[in-house]
Amino acid sequence: MKVILLCDVKGTGKKDDILNVSDGFARNYLFPRKWAVEARPGAVKEIERKRAAEEKLERERRESAVNTAAQLKDKVVVLKAKCGSQGRLYGSITSQEIADALKEQHGVEVDKRKIECEPIRQVGETDITVWVYANVTTPMKVRVEAMTKD
């Protein structure tokens, strides 16, 4: 019997999968729990239409991410911090501070968890990697400058 899964079923399949299962499994296990419905032609067409719409949306998101990555590629984020005479910072520059500076200086909002770098504790330039989208990354530089005393 062909069924369409309404939710993820462990060991069977994921939501919106069209599967061929035994009649007993469908009638006695999937249908009573409302985890599946019978795959009728109208329902199958609806699932295919939904998949096509999701694929189109995914393509648009990826395209947007690639454009953002190209825009950010090799840009420099400049941060000022207090430091000692040897150029060692009194704290560290975190990914949250980099994300805030990225939004302020380049107008691109990135989650701090998408910035791949170690906490920066030294004045100078550091290479970082920004994950814009799944499998879409861009290299950037962070320049930390000593804060001048006014």
Side-chain angles (χ1 to χ4, degrees):
M1 173 182 284
K2 278 198 166 198
V3 297
I4 299 172
L5 295 180
L6 300 175
C7 62
D8 292 352
V9 179
K10 189 173 183 179
T12 304
K14 299 213 178 274
K15 181 179 178 182
D16 291 337
D17 281 351
I18 301 170
L19 302 173
N20 205 2
V21 297
S22 68
D23 291 352
F25 182 62
R27 270 196 306 269
N28 298 324
Y29 188 71
L30 297 174
F31 292 163
R33 289 172 174 79
K34 299 199 181 349
W35 288 352
V37 293
E38 191 173 345
R40 300 213 163 124
V44 171
K45 282 185 181 178
E46 179 65 24
I47 294 294
E48 289 171 356
R49 186 194 59 75
K50 193 189 298 185
R51 279 188 186 153
E54 287 174 5
E55 287 172 6
K56 181 182 177 204
L57 190 62
E58 177 69 20
R59 266 195 314 274
E60 290 172 356
R61 286 183 187 149
R62 179 167 293 283
E63 214 173 273
S64 172
V66 169
N67 290 340
T68 302
Q71 178 186 4
L72 289 177
K73 186 174 172 81
D74 297 323
K75 296 274 179 159
V76 177
V77 178
V78 180
L79 294 165
K80 295 190 182 290
K82 292 182 181 180
C83 65
S85 60
Q86 300 295 318
R88 184 133 171 93
L89 301 181
Y90 287 135
S92 63
I93 302 292
T94 62
S95 57
Q96 179 64 53
E97 292 172 296
I98 295 170
D100 293 341
L102 193 59
K103 183 177 179 187
E104 181 182 313
Q105 294 173 18
H106 299 290
V108 177
E109 195 164 338
V110 176
D111 186 25
K112 70 177 184 176
R113 295 171 292 211
K114 304 291 183 190
I115 297 174
E116 201 173 276
C117 72
E118 295 292 319
I120 302 168
R121 295 185 175 93
Q122 201 65 24
V123 171
E125 278 195 359
T126 306
D127 294 325
I128 64 169
T129 303
V130 178
W131 288 83
V132 184
Y133 197 70
N135 297 327
V136 179
T137 62
T138 185
M140 292 187 71
K141 291 192 182 296
V142 175
R143 184 181 309 132
V144 180
E145 296 175 349
M147 194 177 285
T148 58
K149 295 178 184 176
D150 293 321

